[in-house]
Amino acid sequence: MPQRMHSIEDEAVATEAVDPATLLAENQSLRDRLMRALADAENTRRRAERSLDEMRQYAIAGFAREMLAVVDNLRRAIEAAERTPVKSVEDAALLEGVRSTERMMMQVLERFGVRKIDALGAPFNPELHEAVTEIDYPEREPGTIAEVLEDGYTLHDRLLRPARVAVVKRQSQAPPRDSEEPRRRNQQP
């Protein structure tokens, strides 16, 4: 059996490895690297788990957004029918059927986390509301919502569609009185 030849480098490594302090330091270094790798793997697992949970929770967002158009049309049909007097029992039954369909649709959407934003009379919040217009409404506080033009919805804690609203105008400051204006003109250089 041929005898194996050791190089000078192998002997230097072997001599260095015999030193207990070097072995302990190397052992500690390897242990630190292992712990960091394990922690990184655990963080990656948690991130993937969170991402999967979020994907499951919000997967219906596109479908729910499309269904809101159906809910809007049901609401419009109900409002149009309520503006005209009911002429027959069939008309009343049809209206009640549309109301029932709207209620069922909202119950199904709520079961999956879709919630209507209660905007009327609330302070304007740009994260939930889209201001379409400003109106004078002396009975309400400035900056509050006086009218909801289109209902808004959230999916769990995320905005699905903002409520399109009319906001009460902020009161502008009163114009200066005529007696004060000449004095201001005289003070200007």
Side-chain angles (χ1 to χ4, degrees):
M1 190 139 118
Q3 204 173 26
R4 199 164 155 192
M5 299 290 285
H6 294 289
S7 70
I8 299 174
E9 291 174 4
D10 289 339
E11 286 183 28
V13 169
T15 306
E16 187 179 302
V18 175
D19 181 24
T22 304
L23 290 174
L24 287 173
E26 186 177 338
N27 188 7
Q28 184 61 38
S29 172
L30 291 173
R31 182 176 290 132
D32 286 348
R33 287 176 51 197
L34 174 64
M35 295 307 284
R36 284 193 177 111
L38 289 173
D40 189 42
E42 180 63 19
N43 289 340
T44 302
R45 184 191 65 76
R46 285 184 187 155
R47 243 188 330 270
E49 202 173 90
R50 235 184 342 246
S51 178
L52 186 60
D53 288 345
E54 193 172 285
M55 185 182 72
R56 284 184 191 131
Q57 189 174 25
Y58 299 108
I60 67 160
F63 176 73
R65 200 172 287 115
E66 295 295 324
M67 293 308 296
L68 294 180
V70 176
V71 170
D72 291 340
N73 285 333
L74 289 171
R75 172 71 3 223
R76 286 184 196 106
I78 292 167
E79 289 171 354
E82 288 173 342
R83 283 192 297 266
T84 59
V86 177
K87 296 178 182 162
S88 67
V89 174
E90 290 84 13
D91 289 347
L94 179 63
L95 178 57
E96 188 51 41
V98 174
R99 284 182 182 138
S100 178
T101 303
E102 182 196 33
R103 277 192 306 274
M104 289 174 57
M105 177 73 78
M106 288 307 300
Q107 288 171 351
V108 168
L109 289 172
E110 285 178 9
R111 207 173 24 239
F112 286 94
V114 177
R115 304 274 184 267
K116 186 175 172 181
I117 297 170
D118 188 23
L120 188 62
F124 178 74
N125 179 349
E127 293 177 3
L128 298 174
H129 310 126
E130 177 183 334
V132 176
T133 186
E134 284 187 312
I135 60 174
D136 286 322
Y137 203 122
E139 294 84 29
R140 297 216 181 189
E141 284 288 317
T144 60
I145 297 170
E147 186 179 347
V148 177
L149 306 173
E150 184 177 66
D151 288 321
Y153 294 87
T154 59
L155 177 59
H156 302 289
D157 58 345
R158 286 189 185 170
L159 183 65
L160 192 58
R161 180 178 80 185
R164 300 183 77 220
V165 299
V167 180
V168 178
K169 285 183 181 179
R170 302 235 181 256
Q171 300 298 326
S172 60
Q173 295 179 348
R177 287 185 261 152
D178 291 336
S179 61
E180 292 179 10
E181 195 168 320
R183 190 174 24 169
R184 287 188 189 153
R185 285 186 192 155
N186 293 338
Q187 291 175 354
Q188 293 177 356

